[in-house]
């Protein structure tokens, strides 16, 4: 993934995740990649992905099931 310098990386990752959800690549209540999995895939620091996931949880786009992972909100 190519990142633009004009926007924070965590927001660009959030856009990437939202795009996947809107294109139905990740469906409602489907598990999404873990923080580490996505960090390796996108070649970014896991803390950046964690910030993205926290941001998306605040927007109620994804939710966390403790010990299981993150899922797409209905």
């Amino acid at each position: 993934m190519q990142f633009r310098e004009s926007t924070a990386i965590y927001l660009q990752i959030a856009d990437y995740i939202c795009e996947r959800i809107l294109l139905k690549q990740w469906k409602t209540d489907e598990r999404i990649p873990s923080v580490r999995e996505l960090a390796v895939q996108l070649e970014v620091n896991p803390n950046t992905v964690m910030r993205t996931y926290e941001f998306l949880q605040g927007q109620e786009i994804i939710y966390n099931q403790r010990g299981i992972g993150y899922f797409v909100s209905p």
Side-chain angles (χ1 to χ4, degrees):
M1 183 171 176
Q2 294 287 348
F3 296 107
R4 299 177 306 278
E5 290 189 27
S6 60
T7 309
I9 291 175
Y10 84 97
L11 292 175
Q12 293 178 59
I13 296 171
D15 288 344
Y16 168 80
I17 291 170
C18 289
E19 186 176 305
R20 290 264 181 143
I21 293 168
L22 290 172
L23 293 174
K24 306 288 187 201
Q25 292 174 342
W26 293 346
K27 296 174 179 49
T28 300
D29 292 321
E30 182 179 307
R31 186 177 176 277
I32 63 174
S34 71
V35 170
R36 287 184 183 160
E37 290 169 345
L38 193 59
V40 168
Q41 181 183 340
L42 299 178
E43 299 176 354
V44 297
N45 189 304
N47 291 331
T48 304
V49 176
M50 190 67 225
R51 185 172 181 189
T52 301
Y53 281 10
E54 288 171 352
F55 172 75
L56 291 174
Q57 271 189 282
Q59 302 291 317
E60 297 183 359
I61 294 170
I62 64 172
Y63 64 94
N64 184 15
Q65 285 191 336
R66 194 174 189 102
I68 299 174
Y70 289 90
F71 296 81
V72 178
S73 293

